[in-house]
């Protein structure tokens, strides 16, 4: 069928529903045609709802898509809570099964929640692209509706009145109001009672079928316009994700009778069934035995070397410390290729003034690393960085210009601007990336070299985060209107083209506190270097040395643990294993914990695309592109004073 042909519009709408009703391999069909079957009723209801949306649009393609995106956002928000909220976590913990089986179930549901969150962000971004006030209001209403409905559904499914009387009462009132307003279908209302785990799976099976129908429908409507064909492909991928969720729930439904594991089922058998649907549904250690292997999340040796004399930033001491850190075992990756091309992704584009080197990896370390790699046979060494949002407000901010300014120049390597180096790339997992740096992709050996920094919302920004912007620029997946999340876009890169070696500069001028990543006039000087084959293992060790062991659920490291596996049980530390003295954690007291929780929302929604959160630039090197507004002249110094960032400290 040609989706762009208006003469086949009716088929474009009907075909997705037919595909959703067609048997899917691995999906339970037991009693699916029985009278009153929730899945069949919900399928009919969503088809009727989609028909009403089209009728109300009165032939307007734009209005219909807005309504479809709002519906998708509301349902994805609901599903995110349904799979990933605390109620289902507590419920899984009480299943009558062994610990390994409960871990397999928890992992599968947690990953489904990650998927749904990605889908919700895309739907929100599609609504925001219309740049219409009505669409913004509809988007916010859809998010609020999804949050409320998701919470109420989780409470009614997984708790009882005796355990949580107030929550049950509020949830029942919400459902009653929803029915009166027509927001809660009859099939859903009748199923919103405390259910066994298998009953929950059965209900969610029906919900996933409606999601398949909805996204297939959106894909078909987008595909009717040539300018939307790329988005249509993304929507079709989301529909495929929802089919996988349906099969995952079917596998769980088959394995459980009520809250108990059925006789003849085991953790290994359930994991194998889930891995056949999608390896992401099982942990990396399980995938080792069942499917494939990935270098991230393996653990292994993390080398930590410390030299008090390196705290001054003396280039000679820094070079010696790097050579003491990189031994034959870590550099064995170079022996795989007779004349390797090496790509090093590092960080220096947050630099704003030479007097504060805290936002960047020391240039002497980069130069020495390139020399070591050349000695090991490298025929080409490329240092990669990407422009950031600072170049919207200040001139002189190209990668080449900033590299010259901070001293990242050497005959041993060339500097590559990843934004100008993009090539199309098909990622096997995730949404939000469709290109990658050619130099990174074609390298024989890939190295990530990060700077130890604190971060207001993610808490840390280390070796894994240094890989940001190898694909899309960070600001495209950070601010309002984005159609992907920064951590998810980052994990797609790590998954597809992982680094072979990870390094972390924690020698001198380590920015700490709540806003360290923005520059710190009073930094910490640990005198340490970290190195490992597994970048995630390195980051988790370094974070613990920074006094941080738990991460926000939407942070890069939390997602990395879910995406790959937690390497900590299989990690061994070669060198000092102690807290860094004097380093200020973003979670050092109750106030900073609260501010950290609010940081992302405040920065994205109230920061004017980061315009208010900028340091005091070296105006000679980076002159402003325009005269700052009154708001900028007032807010910028106020924020710097309140949070203590972005001012050069004493020499």
């Amino acid at each position: 069928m040609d989706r762009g042909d208006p003469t086949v519009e009716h088929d474009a709408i009907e075909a997705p529903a037919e595909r959703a009703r067609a048997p899917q391999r691995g999906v339970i069909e037991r009693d699916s045609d029985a009278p009153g079957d929730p899945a069949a009723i919900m399928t009919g209801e969503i088809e009727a709802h989609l028909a009403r949306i089209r009728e109300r649009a009165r032939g307007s393609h734009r209005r219909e898509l807005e309504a479809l995106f709002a519906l998708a956002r509301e349902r994805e928000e609901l599903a995110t809570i349904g799979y990933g909220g605390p109620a289902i976590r507590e419920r899984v913990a009480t299943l009558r099964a062994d610990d390994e089986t409960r871990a397999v179930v928890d992992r599968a549901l947690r990953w489904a929640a990650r998927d749904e969150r990605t889908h919700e962000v895309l739907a929100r971004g599609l609504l925001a692209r219309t740049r219409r006030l009505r669409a913004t209001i509809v988007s916010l209403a859809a998010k609020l509706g999804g949050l409320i409905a998701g919470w109420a559904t989780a409470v009614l499914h997984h708790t009882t009145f005796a355990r949580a009387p107030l929550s049950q009462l509020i949830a029942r009132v919400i459902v009653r109001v929803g029915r009166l307003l027509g927001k809660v279908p009859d099939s859903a209302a009748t199923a919103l009672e405390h259910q066994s785990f298998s009953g929950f799976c059965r209900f969610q099976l029906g919900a996933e079928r409606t999601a398949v129908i909805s996204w297939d429908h959106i894909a078909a409507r987008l595909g009717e316009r040539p300018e939307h064909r790329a988005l249509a492909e993304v929507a079709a991928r989301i529909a495929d994700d929802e089919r996988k969720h349906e099969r995952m729930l079917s596998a769980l439904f088959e394995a459980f009778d009520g809250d108990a594991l059925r006789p003849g089922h085991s953790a290994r058998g359930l994991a194998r069934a889930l891995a056949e649907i999608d390896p992401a549904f099982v942990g990396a250690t399980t995938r080792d035995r069942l499917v494939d292997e990935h270098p991230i999340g393996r653990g292994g040796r993390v080398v930590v070397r410390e030299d008090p004399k390196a705290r001054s930033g003396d280039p000679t001491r820094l070079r010696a410390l790097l050579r003491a850190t990189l031994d034959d075992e870590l550099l064995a990756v170079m022996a795989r290729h007779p004349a390797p091309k090496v790509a090093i992704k590092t960080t220096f584009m947050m630099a704003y003034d030479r007097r504060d080197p805290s936002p960047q990896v020391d240039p002497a370390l980069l130069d020495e690393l390139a020399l070591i790699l050349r000695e090991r046979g490298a025929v080409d060494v490329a240092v990669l960085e990407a422009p950031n949002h600072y170049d919207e407000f200040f001139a002189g901010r190209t990668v080449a210009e900033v590299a010259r300014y901070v001293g990242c120049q050497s005959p041993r390597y060339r500097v590559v601007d990843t934004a100008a180096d993009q090539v199309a790339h098909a990622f096997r997992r995730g949404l939000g990336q469709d290109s990658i740096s050619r130099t990174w992709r074609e390298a024989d050996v890939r190295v990530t070299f990060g700077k130890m920094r604190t971060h207001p919302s993610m808490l840390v920004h280390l070796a894994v985060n240094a890989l940001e912007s190898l694909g899309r620029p960070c600001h495209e997946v950070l601010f309002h209107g984005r159609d992907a999340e920064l951590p998810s876009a980052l994990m797609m890169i790590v998954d597809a083209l992982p680094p072979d070696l990870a390094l972390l500069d924690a020698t001198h001028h380590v920015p700490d506190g709540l806003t360290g990543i923005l520059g710190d006039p009073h930094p910490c000087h640990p005198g340490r270097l970290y190195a490992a084959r597994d970048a995630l293992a390195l980051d988790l060790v370094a974070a613990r040395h920074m006094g941080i062991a738990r991460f926000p659920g939407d942070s890069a490291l939390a997602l990395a643990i879910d995406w790959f596996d937690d390497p900590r049980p299989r990690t061994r530390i070669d060198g000092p294993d102690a807290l860094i003295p004097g380093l200020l954690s973003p979670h050092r007291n109750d106030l900073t914990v609260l501010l950290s929780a609010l940081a992302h929302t405040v920065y994205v929604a109230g920061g004017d695309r980061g315009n208010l959160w900028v340091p005091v630039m070296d105006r000679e090197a980076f002159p402003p592109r325009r005269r700052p507004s009154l708001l900028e002249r007032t807010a910028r110094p106020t924020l710097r004073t309140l949070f203590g960032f972005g001012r050069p400290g004493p020499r």
Side-chain angles (χ1 to χ4, degrees):
M1 178 185 71
D2 182 359
R3 290 181 174 177
D5 185 353
T7 62
V8 295
E9 186 170 282
H10 180 75
D11 289 339
I13 295 175
E14 296 300 326
E18 294 300 325
R19 286 198 297 272
R21 284 195 295 264
Q24 301 290 323
R25 190 172 71 87
V27 176
I28 289 183
E29 301 172 61
R30 184 170 60 246
D31 300 328
S32 60
D33 296 323
D37 172 62
I41 295 173
M42 293 169 76
T43 297
E45 287 171 343
I46 192 62
E47 290 173 343
H49 187 60
L50 293 174
R52 286 195 299 272
I53 286 177
R54 187 172 189 192
E55 181 180 351
R56 291 169 184 167
R58 297 177 181 177
S60 170
H61 193 262
R62 175 181 51 77
R63 283 200 300 267
E64 182 178 357
L65 286 178
E66 283 182 9
L68 290 172
F69 297 154
L71 172 66
R73 184 178 188 191
E74 181 178 296
R75 294 199 170 217
E76 298 297 346
E77 189 75 59
L78 188 156
T80 300
I81 297 172
Y83 289 133
I88 186 62
R89 300 276 78 75
E90 294 173 6
R91 184 62 177 278
V92 170
T94 64
L95 292 176
R96 296 196 296 277
D98 58 87
D99 290 344
E100 187 177 358
T101 299
R102 286 195 292 267
V104 170
V105 173
D106 181 74
R107 161 74 194 198
L109 293 174
R110 198 169 66 243
W111 186 258
R114 293 286 192 187
D115 272 350
E116 303 293 3
R117 170 65 177 162
T118 302
H119 302 167
E120 185 271 330
V121 170
L122 176 71
R124 179 179 63 199
L126 293 175
L127 267 173
R129 285 184 185 182
T130 64
R131 299 185 182 277
R132 298 173 69 245
L133 178 62
R134 178 180 178 278
T136 301
I137 295 172
V138 167
S139 178
L140 292 174
K143 178 176 179 63
L144 182 61
L147 283 170
I148 294 173
W151 175 84
T153 301
V155 166
L156 295 174
H157 272 167
H158 303 300
T159 67
T160 62
F161 195 86
R163 283 183 56 202
L166 182 60
S167 295
Q168 278 276 331
L169 180 61
I170 296 173
R172 290 178 186 276
V173 170
I174 289 172
V175 171
R176 179 62 60 88
V177 172
R179 294 189 73 174
L180 291 175
L181 295 176
K183 298 294 289 183
V184 179
D186 291 340
S187 61
T190 57
L192 291 180
E193 299 292 341
H194 181 71
Q195 296 191 23
S196 66
F197 181 69
S198 60
F200 161 77
C201 292
R202 186 179 184 85
F203 174 81
Q204 291 297 131
L205 267 168
E208 289 295 347
R209 290 181 187 178
T210 67
V212 171
I213 293 171
S214 297
W215 281 107
D216 270 336
H217 184 81
I218 291 172
R221 297 300 282 162
L222 286 169
E224 293 171 1
R225 302 291 177 89
E227 65 271 23
H228 292 157
R229 291 288 174 85
L231 286 176
E233 293 178 4
V234 173
R237 286 183 61 190
I238 293 178
D240 288 339
D241 284 347
E242 303 293 5
R243 290 185 179 91
K244 291 178 182 178
H245 296 172
E246 187 180 356
R247 293 175 60 198
M248 177 270 292
L249 288 162
S250 184
L252 296 181
F253 180 72
E254 178 68 26
F256 281 86
D257 182 5
D259 291 334
L261 189 67
R262 293 178 184 271
H265 289 265
S266 66
R268 184 172 177 80
L270 180 58
R272 183 180 292 107
L274 293 171
E276 288 177 356
I277 299 167
D278 190 331
F281 287 132
V282 298
T285 52
T286 304
R287 289 200 300 269
D288 277 355
R289 301 191 299 266
L290 298 174
V291 184
D292 60 5
E293 184 176 345
H294 194 278
I296 302 299
R298 287 291 170 273
R301 178 169 167 255
V302 175
V303 177
V304 185
R305 296 290 180 262
E306 184 174 326
D307 179 3
K309 294 183 179 180
R311 295 171 185 168
S312 66
D314 176 69
T316 301
R317 304 301 304 189
L318 295 178
R319 291 173 184 272
L321 182 59
L322 181 61
R323 286 192 175 267
T325 305
L326 291 177
D327 55 24
D328 289 341
E329 180 182 338
L330 290 172
L331 291 171
V333 294
M334 297 292 292
R336 298 176 184 171
H337 307 276
K341 295 183 296 183
V342 182
I344 305 169
K345 177 60 176 72
T346 192
T347 178
F348 55 74
M349 287 301 291
M350 294 295 286
Y352 65 97
D353 192 297
R354 290 191 187 95
R355 292 173 293 170
D356 179 9
S358 64
Q360 69 185 77
V361 169
D362 192 287
L365 291 173
L366 281 175
D367 183 64
E368 189 67 16
L369 175 59
L371 175 58
I372 293 171
L373 296 173
R374 292 283 189 179
E375 292 171 351
R376 295 275 174 155
V379 295
D380 179 57
V381 178
V383 170
L384 283 59
E385 247 290 41
N388 59 25
H389 65 292
Y390 285 172
D391 66 4
E392 297 180 22
F393 320 125
F394 302 94
R397 296 293 309 182
T398 67
V399 169
E401 288 170 320
V402 177
R404 284 195 297 271
Y405 177 79
V406 300
C408 287
Q409 292 180 297
S410 170
R412 300 183 178 98
Y413 63 77
R414 58 191 176 93
V415 175
V416 175
D417 179 347
T418 61
D421 189 44
Q422 296 289 298
V423 291
H425 185 81
F427 292 84
R428 63 173 185 167
R429 291 167 64 186
L431 297 168
Q433 297 277 21
D434 55 16
S435 67
I436 191 71
S437 162
R438 180 192 298 273
T439 304
W440 183 261
R441 187 175 72 172
E442 295 180 354
D444 300 309
V445 176
R446 305 182 184 95
V447 181
T448 176
F449 199 165
K451 175 69 178 282
M452 179 180 280
R453 293 178 285 181
T454 57
H455 191 282
S457 59
M458 295 188 188
L459 303 189
V460 294
H461 196 282
L462 307 173
V464 170
N465 291 88
L467 299 172
E468 292 170 348
S469 295
L470 279 171
R472 294 176 67 175
C474 285
H475 55 272
E476 289 189 8
V477 287
L478 180 60
F479 295 113
H480 181 69
R482 64 191 183 277
D483 54 17
E485 292 278 38
L486 177 58
S488 180
L490 172 60
M491 288 310 114
M492 291 175 68
I493 293 169
V494 179
D495 179 56
L497 296 163
D500 300 291
L501 176 65
L503 291 162
L504 183 67
D505 177 8
T507 53
H508 64 99
H509 289 86
V510 168
D512 57 6
L514 187 66
T515 54
I517 193 171
L518 298 176
D520 188 352
H522 303 287
C524 182
H525 305 279
R528 291 185 185 178
L529 270 175
Y530 294 76
R533 299 286 295 276
D534 183 344
L536 178 55
L538 183 155
D539 279 7
L540 292 171
V541 169
R544 182 165 55 79
H545 289 175
M546 298 169 74
I548 300 167
R550 302 181 63 182
F551 308 95
D554 56 356
S555 67
L557 287 185
L559 177 55
I561 290 171
D562 277 355
W563 193 297
F564 303 104
D565 204 357
D566 188 345
R568 285 174 287 193
R570 300 174 299 282
T571 298
R572 67 185 189 278
I573 300 172
D574 178 355
D577 185 15
L579 290 174
I580 296 172
L583 189 142
L584 299 178
S585 164
H587 274 184
R588 62 186 179 277
N589 56 47
D590 291 344
L591 177 60
T592 59
V593 169
L594 174 63
L595 292 174
S596 179
L598 299 173
H600 183 265
T601 300
V602 171
Y603 184 74
V604 170
D608 191 20
R609 294 184 63 83
N611 190 20
L612 304 182
W613 297 83
V614 296
V616 181
M617 291 280 174
D618 180 342
R619 283 178 169 257
E620 184 176 337
F622 313 121
R625 293 191 179 278
R626 56 172 174 77
R627 176 178 169 78
S629 66
L630 177 61
L631 174 62
E632 292 164 353
R633 294 197 303 272
T634 304
R636 285 175 176 176
T638 301
L639 291 171
R640 292 179 198 129
T641 301
L642 284 174
F643 295 99
F645 72 88
R647 293 181 182 275
R651 288 185 181 273

